[in-house]
C-alpha cells in the first residue's frame, strides 16, 4: 500500500504529464471549457463526470447531444424552461444505460438545486470541512441536496 505522500507525488507526476492543451480535446473536461459562465461550467462538468464511463469516443458525442438543446448558457436555459421543454430536450436520449427519462430527472434535480441553492458548489460546501482529510462530507452533501431536489415518483 502506498503512503499518502507517494500517492500524492504519483498523481502530481501524472498531472504534469497530461495537463496540457493537446490532451484536452480527447478528455470529457473539454466540453465544460467551452462555457464562459461559472455556473454553466459547473453544471456541464457535473454532467461530464456523471457520464464519464465507457469509451470517451462514445461518451463525448452523447454529452453533446444531452447539452445541445441548452445552448450557450445551459443553466439559464434550464432555469427558464418548463417541464414540456425539458421533456422535448431530452427526448430520444440514450447513452449506454442512461435513457431520456434518466436525463430528464437529472436535469429536473439540477434545475431545482440551482433554484434553491444557487449553485452545486453551495450544496457541496454545506458538508465540506477544511479540517477534514478528504472531501467526503462535501460530496455527501451535494448528493443529498440533489436527491432532495429530485422529482418524486
Amino acid at each position: 500500500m502506498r503512503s499518502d505522500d507517494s500517492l500524492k507525488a504519483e498523481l502530481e507526476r501524472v498531472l504534469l504529464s497530461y495537463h496540457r492543451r493537446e490532451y484536452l480535446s480527447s478528455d470529457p473536461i473539454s466540453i465544460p471549457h467551452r462555457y464562459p459562465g461559472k455556473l454553466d461550467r459547473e453544471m456541464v462538468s457535473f454532467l461530464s463526470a456523471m457520464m464519464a464511463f465507457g469509451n470517451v469516443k462514445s461518451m463525448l458525442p452523447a454529452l453533446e447531444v444531452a447539452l445541445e438543446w441548452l445552448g450557450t448558457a445551459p443553466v439559464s436555459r434550464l432555469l427558464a424552461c418548463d417541464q414540456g421543454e425539458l421533456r422535448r430536450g431530452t427526448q430520444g436520449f440514450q447513452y449506454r444505460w442512461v435513457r431520456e427519462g434518466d436525463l430528464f430527472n437529472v436535469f429536473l434535480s439540477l434545475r431545482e438545486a440551482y433554484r434553491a441553492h444557487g449553485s452545486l458548489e453551495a450544496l457541496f460546501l454545506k458538508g465540506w470541512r477544511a479540517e477534514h482529510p478528504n472531501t467526503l462530507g462535501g460530496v455527501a452533501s451535494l448528493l443529498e441536496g440533489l436527491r432532495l431536489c429530485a422529482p418524486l415518483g
Side-chain angles (χ1 to χ4, degrees), residues 47 50 66 90 93 98-108:
L47 288 170
M50 185 192 86
T90 58
F93 180 82
V98 180
R99 306 277 191 260
E100 66 184 62
D102 302 316
L103 185 61
F104 174 81
N105 286 324
V106 167
F107 278 136
L108 275 180

Side-chain angles (χ1 to χ4, degrees), residues 102-144:
D102 302 316
L103 185 61
F104 174 81
N105 286 324
V106 167
F107 278 136
L108 275 180
S109 184
L110 287 169
R111 183 179 71 181
E112 295 313 308
Y114 279 104
R115 285 179 177 168
H117 303 281
S119 70
L120 300 180
E121 179 182 29
L123 281 171
F124 177 87
L125 290 175
K126 285 183 177 191
W128 179 74
R129 301 292 175 266
E131 65 274 9
H132 289 180
N134 57 52
T135 60
L136 291 177
V139 172
S141 176
L142 171 63
L143 295 176
E144 179 65 6

Side-chain angles (χ1 to χ4, degrees), residues 4-138:
D4 287 346
D5 289 339
S6 67
L7 178 59
K8 180 179 179 187
E10 178 65 12
L11 291 174
E12 287 179 358
R13 184 192 66 73
V14 170
L15 175 67
L16 289 174
S17 297
Y18 292 99
H19 190 63
R20 299 183 197 168
R21 186 158 300 280
E22 64 264 25
Y23 289 108
L24 190 60
S25 65
S26 64
D27 192 295
I29 202 67
S30 65
I31 295 176
H33 276 271
R34 297 178 191 165
Y35 297 91
K38 178 182 175 182
L39 293 179
D40 296 323
R41 285 191 310 270
E42 175 187 71
M43 186 181 90
V44 174
S45 295
F46 179 83
L47 288 170
S48 295
M50 185 192 86
M51 292 175 54
F53 49 84
N55 185 312
V56 172
K57 289 180 182 177
S58 63
M59 179 267 194
L60 289 175
L63 188 57
E64 297 279 7
V65 168
L67 293 167
E68 181 179 25
W69 71 278
L70 292 168
T72 59
V75 172
S76 293
R77 176 80 170 106
L78 187 62
L79 290 171
C81 76
D82 62 27
Q83 285 197 15
E85 291 174 280
L86 183 51
R87 181 74 63 196
R88 287 187 295 280
T90 58
Q91 187 172 9
F93 180 82
Q94 181 177 344
Y95 171 63
R96 298 188 63 162
W97 57 81
V98 180
R99 306 277 191 260
E100 66 184 62
D102 302 316
L103 185 61
F104 174 81
N105 286 324
V106 167
F107 278 136
L108 275 180
S109 184
L110 287 169
R111 183 179 71 181
E112 295 313 308
Y114 279 104
R115 285 179 177 168
H117 303 281
S119 70
L120 300 180
E121 179 182 29
L123 281 171
F124 177 87
L125 290 175
K126 285 183 177 191
W128 179 74
R129 301 292 175 266
E131 65 274 9
H132 289 180
N134 57 52
T135 60
L136 291 177

